Amino acid sequence: MYKETVEPESGAVRTMRTTKLSIFVIFCASFLVGIASGLGGYTFYYAQGTSYLTDDPTACANCHIMQAFFDGWQKSTHHAVAVCNDCHAPSGVISSFFNKAVNGYHHSKAFTTGDFHEPIRITEDNRHITERQCRRCHQEISGMLNGWRNDLESVSCTRCHRSVGHLY
Amino acid sequence: MLVNIKERKHEQGNPFFKVVEIHDDTQDPAVWGKNFPLQYDGYLRTTDMQRTRYGGSEAMPRTPSQVDPRSTVAQSKLEEDSRLKTMWAGYAFSVDFREERGHAYMLEDQTLTERQRVVTQPGTCIHCHASTYLAYKQLGDGDITLGFEKLNQMPYSEARKHVTHPVACIDCHDPLSMSLRVTRPAFIEGMRAWKASQGIVDYDVNQDASRQEMRTYVCGQCHVEYYFQGSQKRLVYPWADGIKVEDIMEYYDRQKFKDWTHKNSSAQTLKAQHPEFEMWNQGIHARSGVACADCHMPYRRVGAQKISEHHVKSPLLSINRSCQTCHHFSEQEIKARVESIQTRTYNLRNLAMDALVSLITDIQTIQAVNPNHPGLPTARYLQRRAQFYLDFVEAENSTGFHAPSEAVRILAESIDYARQGQIVLRDASYTPNVSIVAIEQ
Amino acid sequence: MLVNIKERKHEQGNPFFKVVEIHDDTQDPAVWGKNFPLQYDGYLRTTDMQRTRYGGSEAMPRTPSQVDPRSTVAQSKLEEDSRLKTMWAGYAFSVDFREERGHAYMLEDQTLTERQRVVTQPGTCIHCHASTYLAYKQLGDGDITLGFEKLNQMPYSEARKHVTHPVACIDCHDPLSMSLRVTRPAFIEGMRAWKASQGIVDYDVNQDASRQEMRTYVCGQCHVEYYFQGSQKRLVYPWADGIKVEDIMEYYDRQKFKDWTHKNSSAQTLKAQHPEFEMWNQGIHARSGVACADCHMPYRRVGAQKISEHHVKSPLLSINRSCQTCHHFSEQEIKARVESIQTRTYNLRNLAMDALVSLITDIQTIQAVNPNHPGLPTARYLQRRAQFYLDFVEAENSTGFHAPSEAVRILAESIDYARQGQIVLRDASYTPNVSIVAIEQ
Ligand SMILES: [Ca+2]
Ligand SMILES: [Ca+2]
């Protein structure tokens, strides 16, 4: 009976899928423009942009601006069990690639122009991804918490466990 | 990838074994407990008694008697501080007032308090001390508000026959979805009035509140200031002007409401009661979205499961789970922080209590000499005010923790009123900094 | 929440180009600025004037004159609240008292305040308004304490000739290692006395303080309550009994110290002055190890480097860098939290101010009628006390933020004293809840 009240996939996820698709198109276009202007493209190269496609955390720390978060991760409880992409990239080959492309482009641009809010804050979209990733690994333990409404955002794991990935 | 679990398997729902069917007429928590043994187990443990510096409760052994078969009670607050008897002179609270303890005791503590023996209480009392949902439904033929009204108007002893359990699963949970729900009409109405004062019309707590808000609102059903309105003895939460102490004071003044006439001073006095919800609202935790359940029902790991601790109690007895996910300090340090807030509140509460008792004594002395002393009406109103402000902090059970600066601010104003009452008695021409409201005898 | 100080460590390795040699006699910040242009640049910008709701400062244009060539000053607090004039009647503060502004102005604001024109001030004043390190060294032949003593004993106008700059690099930094150091004997001695009261002997702040503590102590050199001791006019921080308001009150009472005799009431009154360090110590941030520099000199990224913001100012003008490293709320929300704390403090400060002014007025009225009224000595002592407590919050420049509950608690006690003073004037037999200390005229 309780199973029936469970939504197989929340609305938020569906919306994200669609936006991701359009963002991918924008990304490809921007990427070309970026290379042409030598702006985002150079940074993407300099920062070993392909690192967004690997799971090596040191790749993220290629940007000194990510160093503090890398250091924080190393001190966190999860450094031995989860790498950056486990929490910051959605699982599934396709969605993961899209996400990395979007973030990769965004961060490269931000890094190059220096135009971003400091201290750096996770975006709403990326927070949703992280929240889902917590549940991916901890589905067993969070089963009860999700309650019977199972709307993903109704319980935010990071509200209480903000520091599991980064201990400063 | 170190942990390899199939994606979104969690959305398959909970591993829970439905042993029995539970429906909207299942009152007995033991039955619910068959499906949810871990939560039920915690619920049962609200019988535990353990003291913290300013909270928890201490098991005081007593010899059971015919009228009162309890073999333990919580410590008496009147014995700890006899000034409370002066403050409540002429009111049932001056006869018996104890530290509150776990939910398991709520029904028997209410039934057996000596306050029941000195005054005839209305059925309204039962609202917060029992599982009343089914009684409402039955008495109201499915309409809980109607049932609520009927229960209010009975004498306590009759109302008592309609209930069996202390607060139970059904009072906080929808039996089908297990999601939280508010079952108390007084809270529904109080919230509607408060929201209306902010320009939000027709607020319905069960429809409009987020899940996180519900983790507070289920507690706000009872842990609030209240009064019995009119001859219907309707349970009303006095929030139509707002929920800060001055809003409530203004509300009572406009209603010309009094709880009793003070025995020593003839002031028209009010009794504040457990405004946890109201005070929490003024604190930094409420502002940060931290709910009652976050601290008082923290998650607990049991095997591979994580459940809400249904042993509702002082968070100082579970600091690691209640506080440490958010605050990365040692347990000892967190405890010290709480106690430093509480001690500051407690010391100032003592100063305010001294000021109030001085005022009461002064009124008593002067009215004995000259019952027509022109300063008396003003002094009595200032007592009403000073006393309500003080009691708002005194009756709030966190000893200031839920909203530290607000608690201290309220005590400061209480002192200001009490001392001005004393001035007026010595100099009737003195004009205090607050307008005097006449409350009829 | 974690105090993220350790994170900063790696930033110490900042590359820097040594353009000039700096040694222990290099006073001019412009020279230091050749090696550290980013820090120097911030330092220069302390000339900026921008108001926040309760802090910062507002640039008020004025016509420069012969005696006072300033073309802008900060807003006058006396004009904003004329009750201050009553509180300080007979003291230089009732003539000129302004909102404080950036460090760049400290020397000219002190030199040119009208307070200098109504009273002859001692050289001691200069201690906190100029770069004095070199003057100490030169006057004391290398012994800064000796130099300090000599400077204290000069008249202000003479002392003034020994200094040129507002607080400069050399007052906070060791020129060789650039590490922080305390250069003010009064702070060194004050800390030694305070630590001694806690059983720690021979505390030496420059030896024993951690780096994080030094990030507060360099500010504590000046942002503290002080008095001029004896005929030597030695600058002393009154911490021998502790640094809470009651400890300092007790200290002054034991010393029978007064700043002046109140003009309206003849009470032996005290002036509290910028106890930021003392109040900060009572707050949750101090307890969590958060230093003045964390909020007032937050790290700023300049290219690949992170430097300490040397434009010392209200953190509300840099919320992202000052607060958001620790608090994950929006800038708007953080600002609202601060203002809610400040408004609560400010409202209660107004109540306390009213109570104090009423007491002063009462004393004035009664002594005019009967200078031998038996209640007067008690009322005057209560004024001294109420006023010092109130001023301790009033003069503290964060409007309560540094220690919200403590600020409110102090105001509560201030009200209690002031109102009891009023009672005593109407009833000399009344015994207040604090013992009366006689301070000679
Ligand atoms: Ca208790
Ligand atoms: Ca200022």
Side-chain angles (χ1 to χ4, degrees):
Chain A
M1 160 195 293
Y2 295 101
K3 284 181 190 162
E4 274 105 53
T5 64
V6 170
E7 268 188 67
E9 190 177 75
S10 77
V13 177
R14 274 195 298 275
T15 329
M16 272 180 60
R17 283 268 162 84
T18 349
T19 34
K20 255 181 217 148
L21 204 68
S22 40
I23 289 173
F24 178 60
V25 177
I26 296 166
F27 166 68
C28 292
S30 323
F31 191 60
L32 293 174
V33 176
I35 287 173
S37 66
L39 183 76
Y42 173 70
T43 311
F44 197 75
Y45 168 77
Y46 152 81
Q48 300 165 24
T50 47
S51 62
Y52 272 94
L53 310 176
T54 79
D55 281 332
D56 181 0
T58 56
C60 299
N62 271 332
C63 280
H64 63 78
I65 207 90
M66 289 291 105
Q67 185 66 41
F69 304 96
F70 179 85
D71 294 347
W73 167 73
Q74 281 196 311
K75 276 181 250 145
S76 82
T77 51
H78 279 68
H79 76 277
V81 294
V83 295
C84 315
N85 283 339
D86 288 328
C87 292
H88 292 297
S91 30
V93 177
I94 306 284
S95 50
S96 161
F97 175 77
F98 282 145
N99 169 262
K100 287 173 186 170
V102 171
N103 282 333
Y105 172 69
H106 178 64
H107 296 181
S108 301
K109 190 179 129 253
F111 187 73
T112 311
T113 59
D115 179 19
F116 54 89
H117 181 275
E118 285 194 81
I120 291 172
R121 279 289 175 270
I122 196 162
T123 60
E124 263 318 282
D125 279 357
N126 282 336
R127 208 176 57 78
H128 289 301
I129 289 169
T130 302
E131 288 280 346
R132 292 195 75 81
Q133 292 307 100
C134 308
R135 289 160 169 83
R136 243 192 81 253
C137 293
H138 296 292
Q139 57 94 24
E140 201 181 345
I141 206 159
S142 54
M144 274 288 203
L145 270 72
N146 281 336
W148 280 257
R149 293 187 186 175
N150 202 45
D151 38 346
L152 189 54
E153 288 312 309
S154 68
V155 169
S156 155
C157 310
T158 55
R159 192 168 69 76
C160 298
H161 298 296
R162 187 190 295 287
S163 60
V164 290
H166 305 272
L167 196 62
Y168 298 116
Chain B
M1 193 112 351
L2 295 144
V3 181
N4 203 354
I5 297 153
K6 223 173 97 204
E7 201 187 357
R8 283 208 297 280
K9 193 174 147 205
H10 69 276
E11 289 175 353
Q12 307 296 300
N14 296 291
F16 111 86
F17 302 98
K18 194 197 282 181
V19 180
V20 291
E21 277 298 334
I22 298 171
H23 45 78
D24 207 36
D25 293 313
T26 314
Q27 182 170 258
D28 188 353
V31 177
W32 293 56
K34 296 223 162 81
N35 287 354
F36 306 105
L38 300 173
Q39 284 82 3
Y40 182 58
D41 184 54
Y43 172 86
L44 289 179
R45 277 185 300 114
T46 58
T47 48
D48 283 8
M49 293 181 76
Q50 187 178 340
R51 197 171 179 160
T52 61
R53 178 129 171 220
Y54 294 99
S57 69
E58 195 175 328
M60 312 292 273
R62 72 180 291 284
T63 321
S65 68
Q66 194 72 18
V67 280
D68 185 350
R70 292 176 296 178
S71 59
T72 60
V73 288
Q75 73 269 29
S76 164
K77 289 218 186 182
L78 298 175
E79 273 163 34
E80 284 179 352
D81 188 344
S82 67
R83 291 172 300 180
L84 293 170
K85 292 191 201 168
T86 309
M87 167 147 115
W88 297 322
Y91 201 48
F93 274 84
S94 66
V95 174
D96 186 14
F97 173 57
R98 299 184 174 276
E99 174 66 29
E100 84 291 2
R101 48 182 177 162
H103 282 169
Y105 297 104
M106 62 168 71
L107 190 49
E108 64 177 80
D109 281 349
Q110 182 180 62
T111 313
L112 301 170
T113 176
E114 283 184 48
R115 300 208 290 276
Q116 291 278 7
R117 278 179 261 155
V118 294
V119 198
T120 313
Q121 306 283 8
T124 321
C125 292
I126 222 107
H127 180 88
C128 300
H129 284 261
S131 182
T132 53
Y133 178 71
L134 213 61
Y136 291 158
K137 248 181 74 174
Q138 286 163 353
L139 286 164
D141 275 330
D143 177 346
I144 63 161
T145 309
L146 188 61
F148 160 72
E149 287 162 352
K150 288 201 174 152
L151 212 50
N152 284 339
Q153 293 171 47
M154 297 176 188
Y156 181 81
S157 52
E158 199 191 324
R160 179 66 185 78
K161 294 182 196 132
H162 292 268
V163 301
T164 333
H165 296 281
V167 63
C169 323
I170 199 168
D171 296 288
C172 296
H173 288 286
D174 177 289
L176 300 181
S177 69
M178 284 306 285
S179 41
L180 295 175
R181 67 171 174 191
V182 164
T183 54
R184 296 304 194 264
F187 187 76
I188 296 170
E189 293 169 3
M191 287 299 288
R192 192 177 297 137
W194 179 33
K195 293 281 179 177
S197 78
Q198 302 172 326
I200 301 161
V201 288
D202 279 339
Y203 183 82
D204 178 342
V205 64
N206 279 316
Q207 296 274 330
D208 301 333
S210 69
R211 176 170 171 196
Q212 181 63 10
E213 287 173 327
M214 289 302 274
R215 290 167 58 86
T216 292
Y217 292 168
V218 291
C219 317
Q221 299 188 91
C222 302
H223 288 268
V224 296
E225 163 61 3
Y226 68 90
Y227 78 116
F228 298 158
Q229 196 179 56
S231 58
Q232 313 273 301
K233 299 283 172 195
R234 192 185 192 84
L235 183 64
V236 173
Y237 300 166
W239 300 339
D241 295 338
I243 63 170
K244 295 180 80 170
V245 66
E246 55 270 36
D247 304 326
I248 298 181
M249 187 78 228
E250 196 186 311
Y251 175 91
Y252 283 140
D253 277 357
R254 210 178 44 250
Q255 307 282 324
K256 312 257 183 216
F257 180 79
K258 63 148 197 277
D259 276 308
W260 86 106
T261 300
H262 199 275
K263 192 175 146 207
N264 302 3
S265 72
S266 302
Q268 307 306 319
T269 33
L270 297 164
K271 174 80 191 78
Q273 268 141 170
H274 32 75
E276 276 91 55
F277 175 72
E278 293 89 334
M279 286 295 279
W280 165 85
N281 254 293
Q282 307 310 318
I284 198 79
H285 284 106
R287 185 142 200 166
S288 308
V290 186
C292 317
D294 289 340
C295 300
H296 289 280
M297 298 182 68
Y299 288 115
R300 185 161 66 93
R301 187 179 180 152
V302 186
Q305 285 286 311
K306 212 171 119 178
I307 57 147
S308 297
E309 173 66 88
H310 279 63
H311 178 191
V312 178
K313 60 178 177 303
S314 164
L316 296 185
L317 302 171
S318 58
I319 291 176
N320 60 337
R321 292 184 285 111
S322 289
C323 322
Q324 284 184 319
T325 50
C326 296
H327 298 287
H328 295 242
F329 299 102
S330 70
E331 288 192 29
Q332 199 186 352
E333 169 61 14
I334 289 177
K335 189 153 161 280
R337 285 178 182 207
V338 175
E339 290 183 358
S340 118
I341 291 169
Q342 293 181 319
T343 300
R344 186 183 281 122
T345 312
Y346 187 73
N347 289 344
L348 198 62
R349 166 240 188 237
N350 280 336
L351 283 188
M353 190 74 80
D354 281 341
L356 179 73
V357 169
S358 302
L359 172 59
I360 295 173
T361 313
D362 283 352
I363 299 181
Q364 208 175 356
T365 313
I366 283 173
Q367 73 188 3
V369 179
N370 174 8
N372 300 317
H373 187 289
L376 280 171
T378 303
R380 289 192 183 117
Y381 176 72
L382 288 169
Q383 181 197 332
R384 169 182 163 95
R385 228 181 144 90
Q387 183 161 325
F388 185 69
Y389 274 56
L390 166 57
D391 212 3
F392 209 78
V393 176
E394 162 63 25
E396 207 281 335
N397 287 290
S398 73
T399 321
F401 175 80
H402 293 145
S405 316
E406 177 71 356
V408 174
R409 188 274 298 189
I410 293 173
L411 292 172
E413 299 199 23
S414 172
I415 292 175
D416 200 19
Y417 299 136
R419 295 300 188 195
Q420 287 185 84
Q422 293 187 273
I423 296 174
V424 145
L425 288 175
R426 289 160 173 90
D427 172 2
S429 74
Y430 178 84
T431 315
N433 62 4
V434 60
S435 3
I436 305 307
V437 181
I439 316 288
E440 292 89 64
Q441 185 80 26
Chain C
M1 163 113 16
L2 262 204
V3 183
N4 65 353
I5 294 140
K6 289 192 200 107
E7 181 212 335
R8 311 299 196 185
K9 266 200 184 132
H10 67 277
E11 281 134 21
Q12 283 312 291
N14 275 337
F16 96 90
F17 301 98
K18 196 198 276 180
V19 179
V20 292
E21 278 298 334
I22 298 171
H23 45 77
D24 207 38
D25 293 315
T26 315
Q27 182 169 258
D28 188 353
V31 177
W32 293 56
K34 295 223 163 81
N35 287 353
F36 307 105
L38 299 172
Q39 285 83 0
Y40 182 57
D41 184 56
Y43 172 85
L44 288 179
R45 277 184 301 112
T46 58
T47 48
D48 283 7
M49 292 181 77
Q50 187 177 340
R51 198 169 178 160
T52 60
R53 179 132 171 219
Y54 294 100
S57 68
E58 195 175 329
M60 312 293 272
R62 71 180 290 283
T63 320
S65 67
Q66 194 72 18
V67 280
D68 185 348
R70 291 176 296 178
S71 59
T72 60
V73 288
Q75 73 270 28
S76 164
K77 290 218 184 179
L78 298 176
E79 273 162 35
E80 283 178 356
D81 188 344
S82 67
R83 291 172 300 181
L84 293 170
K85 291 189 201 168
T86 310
M87 166 148 119
W88 297 322
Y91 202 48
F93 275 85
S94 65
V95 175
D96 186 13
F97 173 58
R98 300 183 173 275
E99 173 66 30
E100 83 289 4
R101 49 182 175 162
H103 281 168
Y105 297 104
M106 62 168 71
L107 190 49
E108 63 177 82
D109 281 349
Q110 182 179 62
T111 312
L112 300 171
T113 176
E114 284 184 48
R115 300 209 291 275
Q116 292 277 6
R117 277 178 261 155
V118 295
V119 198
T120 313
Q121 306 284 6
T124 321
C125 292
I126 222 103
H127 178 90
C128 300
H129 284 261
S131 181
T132 53
Y133 179 71
L134 213 60
Y136 290 158
K137 248 182 74 175
Q138 287 164 352
L139 286 164
D141 276 329
D143 177 345
I144 64 162
T145 308
L146 187 61
F148 159 73
E149 287 162 352
K150 287 199 176 154
L151 212 49
N152 285 337
Q153 293 172 46
M154 297 176 189
Y156 181 81
S157 53
E158 198 191 323
R160 179 67 185 77
K161 293 183 197 134
H162 291 268
V163 301
T164 334
H165 296 282
V167 63
C169 324
I170 199 167
D171 296 289
C172 297
H173 289 286
D174 178 288
L176 301 180
S177 66
M178 283 310 283
S179 52
L180 295 175
R181 66 172 175 190
V182 163
T183 54
R184 297 304 193 262
F187 187 76
I188 296 170
E189 293 169 3
M191 287 299 289
R192 191 177 299 135
W194 178 32
K195 293 281 180 180
S197 78
Q198 301 172 327
I200 301 162
V201 287
D202 278 339
Y203 183 83
D204 178 343
V205 64
N206 279 315
Q207 296 273 329
D208 301 333
S210 69
R211 173 175 162 205
Q212 181 62 10
E213 286 173 328
M214 288 302 273
R215 290 166 55 85
T216 291
Y217 292 168
V218 289
C219 316
Q221 299 188 90
C222 302
H223 288 267
V224 295
E225 163 62 3
Y226 68 89
Y227 78 116
F228 297 159
Q229 197 180 55
S231 58
Q232 315 271 301
K233 299 283 171 193
R234 192 185 192 86
L235 182 65
V236 173
Y237 299 167
W239 301 339
D241 294 339
I243 64 169
K244 295 181 79 170
V245 66
E246 55 268 37
D247 303 328
I248 297 181
M249 187 80 228
E250 195 185 313
Y251 175 90
Y252 282 141
D253 277 358
R254 210 179 44 249
Q255 306 283 323
K256 312 259 184 214
F257 181 78
K258 64 150 196 276
D259 276 308
W260 85 105
T261 300
H262 198 274
K263 193 175 145 207
N264 303 1
S265 71
S266 301
Q268 307 306 320
T269 32
L270 297 164
K271 174 81 192 75
Q273 267 142 170
H274 33 75
E276 278 92 54
F277 175 71
E278 293 89 335
M279 285 295 279
W280 164 85
N281 254 293
Q282 308 310 318
I284 198 79
H285 284 106
R287 183 140 200 168
S288 307
V290 186
C292 318
D294 289 328
C295 299
H296 289 280
M297 298 182 68
Y299 288 101
R300 188 158 66 90
R301 205 171 51 77
V302 185
Q305 285 193 45
K306 268 194 179 172
I307 58 146
S308 298
E309 174 65 88
H310 278 63
H311 178 192
V312 177
K313 61 177 176 304
S314 164
L316 296 185
L317 302 172
S318 58
I319 292 176
N320 62 332
R321 292 183 280 114
S322 289
C323 322
Q324 286 184 322
T325 44
C326 296
H327 296 288
H328 294 238
F329 300 101
S330 70
E331 294 190 21
Q332 199 186 349
E333 169 61 14
I334 290 177
K335 190 154 160 280
R337 286 178 181 208
V338 175
E339 289 184 358
S340 116
I341 291 170
Q342 293 182 319
T343 300
R344 187 183 283 123
T345 311
Y346 188 72
N347 290 344
L348 197 62
R349 166 241 188 234
N350 280 336
L351 283 188
M353 190 74 80
D354 282 341
L356 179 72
V357 168
S358 302
L359 171 59
I360 294 173
T361 314
D362 284 353
I363 299 182
Q364 209 175 356
T365 314
I366 283 172
Q367 73 187 3
V369 180
N370 175 7
N372 300 319
H373 187 289
L376 281 170
T378 303
R380 289 191 183 117
Y381 176 72
L382 288 168
Q383 179 197 333
R384 170 183 162 96
R385 232 181 139 89
Q387 182 161 328
F388 185 68
Y389 274 57
L390 165 56
D391 211 3
F392 209 78
V393 176
E394 161 63 24
E396 207 282 331
N397 287 289
S398 72
T399 321
F401 175 80
H402 292 143
S405 316
E406 176 72 355
V408 174
R409 188 275 296 189
I410 293 173
L411 292 172
E413 298 199 24
S414 171
I415 293 174
D416 200 20
Y417 299 136
R419 296 300 188 194
Q420 289 186 82
Q422 293 187 274
I423 297 174
V424 145
L425 289 176
R426 289 160 173 89
D427 173 3
S429 74
Y430 178 84
T431 315
N433 63 3
V434 58
S435 4
I436 305 306
V437 180
I439 316 288
E440 294 91 63
Q441 184 83 26

